[in-house]
Amino acid sequence: MTEFGRLVLLIGDYHTPQRKADVPSCFKELLNTDKIGMVLCTGNVGSQSVAEQLRTIAGEDCHIVCGDADHDFSFPESCVTNVGDFKVGVVHGHQIVPWGDANSLVKFAGRLGVDILVTGHTHRSSIVELGGKFLINPGSVTGACNAVGEFDVTPSFMLMAVQEKSVVLYTYELKEGQTEPEVKMNELKR
Amino acid sequence: MAAAQGYPAGGADDQERLLDEATAVVKEQAFYMKKAIDSDNVREALKNASNMICELRTSLLLPKNYFELYMQVFSEMQHLSGFFADKNRHKKKMIDLYESVQHAGNILPRLYLLATVAAAYIKSLEAPAKEILKDVNELCKGVQHPLRGLFLRYYLSQMLKDKLPDTGSGFEGEGGDINDAFEFIFTNFNESNRLWVRIQHQGPAREKDRRERERHDLRVLVGANLVRLSQLDGMTMEFYAETALPKILDHIVSVKDTMSQQYLLESMIQVFPDEFHIRTLEQMLSAYARALPSVDMKPIMVTLMNRLANFLAEADKEKVQSAGDIFTLFRSHLQGILERALQPQGTGTVGVPDMAPPLEVLAAFMQFTVSLYPDQVHYVDIILGSAAELMQKFRALPGCGGALSDKAADQIGELLAGPMKTLGLGVLKMEHFAALVSFLNFEARKQVSLSMVTAIVEDNRSLSSVEDVKALFTFISPLLKDEEDTPLEEGKDKVRFAEDQQKVCKLVHQVRHEDTDVEYQMLTEMRGFFGQGGPQRLVFTLQPVFFAALGLVPKIQAREKRREQEGDEAVPPPAISMKKVFQFLHRTNSALMQSSPDIALQLWLTASVTADQVERATGEGNFEPIAYEFLTQALVLFEEEISDSSKQYKGIHSIVGTLCKVAALDPENFDNVSQKITRHAAKLLKKPMQCRAVSACSQLFWCDARREPKRVRECLERCVKTCEAVVQSDSGQVGLWVEMLDRYIYYFEVDCDEVTITFLQSLLQICVEHIDFAMKDPQSEQEAKKAKAHLQATMTYLKKMKESPDAGLAARFAELTLS
């Protein structure tokens, strides 16, 4: 259970150093905060050092699931955790075909019994509400190319703040040629 | 005074008692002395003062206690000094007074009294200051006991510091000039230093360490003379450079004592102003070269360099220019100073000289140079050259074998790291960089290589030519392949090895050039280097090369497009075509198939979608065979290398997910692949896995390439049959029914018209019945509960659909009954 006011970091698909050298430096500054109380990682960390870094952000409350490229790790396929009044599930998403399809993902959310399903794999950030569920994809934090060879990927991650019956999501994106991230805010109400 | 020649050895209690006794005598005699002064009785005053001073003849006190006693005597002597200066009271001619104190029976009180009178004598101006000073200085040579002599000298300098014929003082002229003032302090310094050095020989050899510590504590008694010199008003730049400094330096290097040289050379820098140092740098540096090899030059040089750097940073341009070429001065003397380390170190020490201290001096010089001359890149090379030369000479020493201490190796690392941070790849163009590196052992070379990699990655420096890649990769070869001296255990520490290799991988992403041809050449160059690393390194290094090359495909595509619009002149045709890149990807991934089939499978699939996308965009059939070839490779790999059933299950999803995104494949080829993978799905080890995998394969008839509702239905019906069989034999698997229901709902939602609402209705019914049944069996109750929760979620979802504000959607689900 995350304390009131603490933020949940949604992040994943690093693929470092296979597809990208590192997280953008402006993201690193943002992530260097003690306000994050929980980390939910959609997988594909790429290397042990990334997994270790994630664990230093929020200590015990760090949940990493197995991505399609995490061959050398023993992360679980999925996980379910409570954030405020919400049940949140995390799964990388390569297991659910067609990839990134809301109609399929919403079924997986039902199977896990969660209100919010966090997935990755497409490397495109998105927030979808369907059939009473929220489907959230924080994108790739490094802007790595995805499994279908798309290179025009914008680096992104999300911070989630839960207040009673509502969830506020902050999406940070580093657009091409920029040095500072853009922030979008979405409020989701049950 | 029985133990006059000995050295104090008593315990702390003894020392306290001795000090107390002496203090009592000093107090008593001082009392009578002051009484005599009050009655203007010169004779009595001298007698009591003499008795008091006699306490300083002791050899039993430790230096720090002797110092305390001295301070007491000194403060009492100020009464006598005041009395001497007051002619109206003692009513004697100064010359007579000066003569009369010399009748004291003992030499030590005699000389203390003489120094006291001398101050009053000079003040009275009854005789020229220079003559009195010379006389006292000479007479004081009479005390040669190191500790007693040293303190007498200190007394002399304290009493006479304001009685010198310094420039502008009242004693100048007939009393002499700055030369006399200097000569007096210099002689005193000279004598003090010699006495101080001799303290080490006073007493048994076994106590030498303690004695040396105590001697060190007394160093300020010598250093005070340098402070006095610096305070002389006549100490102009000219006088310093031409007269004072040569004498002082000659003296310092002539006294062959490490502690003395170490302390005094450093004090000189602290005491005299920086402007003087800049003017006399050459003299200072050449003196350093003459210092004992055992003197640690690092603190001295670092102090000097820091002071000069600060001074020059604040000085105006004119001053800096007039300072001349400091770098060249330093550099020309440095070699001599450094090579002191190669000389045999005194007696008794055998073996290899330690190279750490001279290398530390060079590292400090490097820092100094980089901060003072940031633009003079070739200076850096010169310093590296000095280090290499020094190491060369070290290697050539007989019997040393070139073995370097860890500390010395660290210093070389330091020397190399500084310029790497500021110059990045530029250091590789330096003549002496590689030469210096070659003196390091494997581990140290690897560390330097890692620092280089980190410097490039953290500063995000681009690699922008094949030459860059060649130079860098040749340099970091300890990371890239097994060298002659690579230890056998390299790679045994898996975590560390992985970290190192992953750092290397980051370099691939620093390849940046606007010309795709150049980027390709750089990547093939890297691939060549990585190829020498063996399978344990290739597992790491091939992936980044693969993805970087894959990234060239959309770039070349964009280039071709621009060429079409703007013409060949504006955008030259690429020498390396997309086809060439795909061939490169093929070769690269083939090398991974055996050692890492999991990775290779993914790479084949990603490459095939990329080729398919190019085919979609160009539509000329050139890339369809490539996409198909990659898919075929993926299938072959799947069949031959992946035997673990959970990996097979994962692989099927990867292949199906990929095929869903493929659109330009020849229909026959598509069918071929999709049929094969569906067959594999149906043959998975466990039935529930089969059911889920085949259900995923149904997607192959409903994707970008296909829209075949009938075959979707047929595929799903097969799944339902499998599901029925599975749940019949194990009602714990009842959740599978709800998954089937979900899949049917999905197809109903996406308008696959062979999947009708009737199917949903009957599947709902089946789920309810089977779950109820499974609930009754304690063996399957747990799983049944889970299935029930899942079914509940699905029902809630369907309810939402029925109640959707989207009228069309609500209508589609209207007929469904949710009881």
Side-chain angles (χ1 to χ4, degrees), chain A residues 9 12 21 34 43 51 53 59 64 68 82 89 132 145-146 151-152 155 164 168:
Chain A
L9 172 65
D34 55 4
Q53 265 167 31
I64 306 174
D68 55 340
N82 290 311
C145 113
N146 60 17
F151 280 84
D152 58 336
E164 290 172 33
V168 181

Side-chain angles (χ1 to χ4, degrees), chain A residues 86 127 134 136 165-169 186-190:
Chain A
F86 291 82
I127 300 166
F134 298 114
I136 299 173
K165 300 283 171 209
S166 76
V167 174
V168 181
L169 276 168
N186 294 72
E187 195 173 354
L188 316 178
K189 283 209 167 106
R190 225 187 336 204

Side-chain angles (χ1 to χ4, degrees), chain B residues 234-398:
Chain B
M235 189 60 75
T236 58
M237 174 95 83
E238 280 64 37
F239 188 82
Y240 176 78
E242 279 152 35
T243 312
L245 186 64
K247 285 192 170 180
I248 298 169
L249 290 176
D250 274 348
H251 168 72
I252 294 174
V253 297
S254 74
V255 175
K256 304 282 183 210
D257 177 72
T258 309
M259 191 192 289
S260 162
Q261 292 189 355
Q262 185 85 50
Y263 168 61
L264 294 174
L265 289 176
E266 208 175 327
S267 300
M268 287 295 288
I269 303 166
Q270 308 278 16
V271 161
F272 289 101
D274 301 325
E275 267 171 297
F276 285 19
H277 299 325
I278 286 183
R279 264 283 291 280
T280 60
L281 200 51
E282 174 132 37
Q283 279 167 278
M284 304 262 278
L285 294 171
S286 64
Y288 294 168
R290 288 186 286 145
L292 291 172
S294 50
V295 173
D296 181 2
M297 275 300 155
K298 192 202 159 194
I300 296 169
M301 297 292 280
V302 169
T303 310
L304 181 60
M305 288 171 190
N306 285 344
R307 298 221 11 179
L308 295 188
N310 287 339
F311 177 76
L312 291 174
E314 283 164 24
D316 50 60
K317 241 193 174 145
E318 208 176 308
K319 254 185 191 158
V320 175
Q321 265 170 359
S322 70
D325 188 351
I326 293 178
F327 174 80
T328 309
L329 259 179
F330 261 108
R331 140 121 187 93
S332 59
H333 288 92
L334 213 50
Q335 213 64 15
I337 295 169
L338 299 173
E339 284 173 14
R340 288 157 49 259
L342 299 170
Q343 296 162 17
Q345 304 264 317
T347 51
T349 50
V350 261
V352 186
D354 186 7
M355 284 290 103
L359 287 167
E360 275 179 290
V361 173
L362 270 177
F365 184 46
M366 179 71 90
Q367 228 175 1
F368 170 77
T369 305
V370 171
S371 75
L372 210 56
Y373 309 98
D375 316 327
Q376 304 283 4
V377 175
H378 68 283
Y379 281 1
V380 171
D381 204 15
I382 292 174
I383 300 172
L384 295 176
S386 294
E389 192 185 329
L390 186 69
M391 292 306 299
Q392 200 79 52
K393 288 187 177 157
F394 168 71
R395 273 246 160 118
L397 285 181

Side-chain angles (χ1 to χ4, degrees), chain B residues 315-554:
Chain B
D316 50 60
K317 241 193 174 145
E318 208 176 308
K319 254 185 191 158
V320 175
Q321 265 170 359
S322 70
D325 188 351
I326 293 178
F327 174 80
T328 309
L329 259 179
F330 261 108
R331 140 121 187 93
S332 59
H333 288 92
L334 213 50
Q335 213 64 15
I337 295 169
L338 299 173
E339 284 173 14
R340 288 157 49 259
L342 299 170
Q343 296 162 17
Q345 304 264 317
T347 51
T349 50
V350 261
V352 186
D354 186 7
M355 284 290 103
L359 287 167
E360 275 179 290
V361 173
L362 270 177
F365 184 46
M366 179 71 90
Q367 228 175 1
F368 170 77
T369 305
V370 171
S371 75
L372 210 56
Y373 309 98
D375 316 327
Q376 304 283 4
V377 175
H378 68 283
Y379 281 1
V380 171
D381 204 15
I382 292 174
I383 300 172
L384 295 176
S386 294
E389 192 185 329
L390 186 69
M391 292 306 299
Q392 200 79 52
K393 288 187 177 157
F394 168 71
R395 273 246 160 118
L397 285 181
C400 95
L404 215 52
S405 69
D406 285 351
K407 220 177 148 202
D410 284 353
Q411 285 305 320
I412 294 187
E414 189 90 345
L415 268 171
L416 297 168
M420 269 191 301
K421 267 181 222 136
T422 50
L423 300 174
L425 276 178
V427 292
L428 298 177
K429 296 199 180 82
M430 297 202 157
E431 198 185 330
H432 299 107
F433 194 82
L436 193 52
V437 172
S438 71
F439 289 101
L440 297 170
N441 64 18
F442 174 80
E443 191 55 38
R445 289 205 314 282
K446 201 179 89 179
Q447 286 312 317
V448 173
S449 303
L450 280 172
S451 311
M452 183 77 191
V453 173
T454 309
I456 290 170
V457 173
E458 283 188 356
D459 287 356
N460 199 9
R461 289 174 191 269
S462 302
L463 301 175
S464 51
S465 72
V466 177
E467 287 69 37
D468 276 1
V469 173
K470 267 190 197 154
L472 176 64
F473 277 42
T474 306
F475 177 69
I476 62 164
S477 78
L479 292 168
L480 301 182
K481 61 175 183 189
D482 288 338
E483 305 213 293
E484 270 177 26
D485 58 348
T486 300
L488 281 173
E489 62 269 18
E490 179 73 3
K492 289 272 163 22
D493 181 346
K494 289 235 155 48
V495 175
R496 208 184 136 190
F497 187 76
E499 273 174 16
D500 293 350
Q501 291 304 310
Q502 279 159 351
K503 276 188 187 150
V504 171
C505 287
K506 294 189 176 186
L507 290 175
V508 181
H509 304 295
Q510 302 306 117
V511 165
R512 272 160 225 164
H513 199 282
E514 54 185 19
D515 186 347
T516 50
D517 293 343
V518 178
E519 283 201 347
Y520 177 81
Q521 283 157 6
M522 282 192 271
L523 292 173
T524 46
E525 189 69 38
M526 285 184 168
R527 171 72 183 87
F529 276 96
F530 289 148
Q532 301 166 35
Q536 59 169 355
R537 292 187 181 84
L538 283 174
V539 177
F540 295 99
T541 51
L542 285 187
Q543 273 198 84
V545 173
F546 180 93
F547 280 103
L550 190 69
L552 281 175
V553 172

Side-chain angles (χ1 to χ4, degrees), chain B residues 156 206 217 318 332 393 426 479 502 576 602 661 674 780:
Chain B
L156 190 62
R206 65 190 146 82
D217 293 339
E318 208 176 308
S332 59
K393 288 187 177 157
L479 292 168
Q502 279 159 351
I576 303 301
Q602 251 188 345
K661 299 286 176 186
S674 64
S780 54

Side-chain angles (χ1 to χ4, degrees), chain B residues 152-214:
Chain B
L152 173 65
R153 288 279 165 193
Y154 189 56
Y155 184 74
L156 190 62
S157 115
Q158 277 188 300
M159 290 308 291
L160 295 172
K161 63 181 174 193
D162 52 355
K163 305 290 184 293
L164 305 177
D166 187 11
T167 308
S169 87
F171 312 109
E172 206 192 0
E174 212 177 307
D177 57 15
I178 175 67
N179 285 292
D180 301 289
F182 169 75
E183 207 55 45
F184 173 75
I185 302 174
F186 177 68
T187 309
N188 205 45
F189 164 66
N190 207 317
E191 292 297 322
S192 299
N193 190 24
R194 287 182 197 283
L195 290 162
W196 179 57
V197 168
R198 278 177 43 219
I199 289 178
Q200 64 187 302
H201 305 302
Q202 297 285 303
R206 65 190 146 82
E207 287 176 358
K208 188 159 179 194
D209 284 353
R210 191 195 76 185
R211 220 158 47 232
E212 283 296 82
R213 277 200 306 278
E214 288 165 0

